[in-house]
Amino acid sequence: MIVAGIDVGSITAEAVILKNGDILGSVIMPTGASSKAAADRVLDEALHKVGLSPKDLKYIVATGYGRISASPAHKRVTEITCHGRGAFFLFPSARTVIDIGGQDSKVIRLGPEGQVVDFAMNEKCAAGTGRFLEVMARALEVELEDLAVLSRKATRSVPISSICTVFAESEVVSLIATGQPRENIIRGIHDSIAERTAGLLNRVGIEEDVVMTGGVANNSGVVEAIEERIGIRLNIPERPDIIGALGAALIAADHAK
């Protein structure tokens, strides 16, 4: 039985192909201007990667920001449910999931069977998300993937007081102008994300084990800042940015049965 999960986010789209509960393949690509086109492209690319065609799929579930536009899907499910399901599949001991995506961040608390029992979400502002990090990297004139390495060279953390991405960018530019080392500013950026994440965790309650999903989990500087802030080691999937699509595929397998 072959099924697929599609996660159409604000920045990237992911697809996972499952066969009898095993991952056959996955693809990540930029969403671009059209969520519908992104859903079609990412699914086609994932099928091509594993040598299959759409007729081989028994069921498709879409999730994420653009799930409504994902025309190939038989069903659409919230990303909270899908990230919880994907994280629990990889880490059956998971009770708390931190998901920091392109435009929002959320904390999900799971029950012993992996069911969502509570969640908190920050969707009013892009601060503390993948987009926030992109804007900060551009202001600092560094590559996004270099943020973690540079933050480890910091001698101290320079506080970033603004909670708005636009104002935080201006604040970073001002800090650069005053001669603050980039490394210290980056550490401050990571700490500000950790502080916002801790606030969400406090709203739902922290219960171990804790898993972090979403593309920001690829930034080990953010991961370390959160771990230091909450005093708990985070479990990071090998590919944290496909967990929503994985959860969608697992739900698709349930329906296909």
Side-chain angles (χ1 to χ4, degrees):
M1 180 180 63
I2 304 172
V3 297
I6 307 170
D7 184 359
V8 186
S10 57
I11 296 178
T12 60
E14 300 84 31
V16 169
I17 309 295
L18 282 186
K19 181 178 182 180
N20 299 327
D22 295 322
I23 299 175
L24 283 184
S26 62
V27 167
I28 303 170
M29 61 174 55
T31 299
S34 169
S35 296
K36 181 183 183 304
D40 292 338
R41 284 198 317 270
V42 76
L43 181 60
D44 288 345
E45 183 63 28
L47 288 169
H48 177 74
K49 185 176 180 179
V50 298
L52 297 172
S53 68
K55 62 180 175 58
D56 295 313
L57 296 174
K58 190 168 184 182
Y59 207 89
I60 305 167
V61 169
T63 190
Y65 172 83
R67 64 184 180 274
I68 301 301
S69 304
S71 55
H74 297 98
K75 186 177 179 63
R76 292 156 185 84
V77 179
T78 69
E79 56 265 41
I80 291 166
T81 299
C82 290
H83 275 271
R85 182 67 182 274
F88 189 78
F89 176 77
L90 296 177
F91 300 95
S93 60
R95 294 297 177 269
T96 308
V97 180
I98 300 168
D99 169 41
I100 305 181
Q103 299 250 53
D104 62 39
S105 55
K106 59 190 79 72
V107 168
I108 308 157
R109 193 151 52 83
L110 303 177
E113 304 300 321
Q115 72 277 23
V116 175
V117 297
D118 197 5
F119 71 92
M121 189 170 182
N122 171 32
E123 56 184 350
K124 294 181 179 179
C125 177
T129 66
R131 183 70 74 188
F132 175 78
L133 285 172
E134 285 184 357
V135 171
M136 296 303 105
R138 185 169 64 244
L140 289 159
E141 297 183 344
V142 300
E143 296 297 322
L144 190 63
E145 56 268 24
D146 293 335
L147 290 175
V149 174
L150 289 168
S151 71
R152 292 194 187 96
K153 298 178 181 178
T155 55
R156 70 183 186 91
S157 175
V158 175
I160 306 297
S161 59
S162 301
I163 61 171
C164 169
T165 301
V166 175
F167 292 152
E169 181 181 17
S170 297
E171 187 175 351
V172 165
V173 171
S174 297
L175 288 169
I176 295 169
T178 61
Q180 289 285 354
R182 288 185 306 176
E183 294 83 358
N184 293 356
I185 298 171
I186 294 168
R187 179 59 192 267
I189 290 167
H190 290 169
D191 285 345
S192 73
I193 295 174
E195 185 175 352
R196 292 187 183 96
T197 303
L200 291 176
L201 284 163
N202 288 335
R203 283 166 59 185
V204 301
I206 306 174
E207 186 177 349
E208 298 186 58
D209 288 341
V210 183
V211 178
M212 184 171 175
T213 66
V216 175
N218 288 311
N219 183 327
S220 57
V222 173
V223 173
E224 290 163 7
I226 294 173
E227 289 178 332
E228 184 177 325
R229 181 71 172 74
I230 66 175
I232 296 173
R233 185 170 181 81
L234 304 181
N235 294 287
I236 310 297
E238 185 177 345
R239 299 189 68 191
D241 29 17
I242 69 165
I243 304 306
L246 171 60
L250 291 165
I251 294 169
D254 291 343
H255 286 276
K257 291 175 183 176

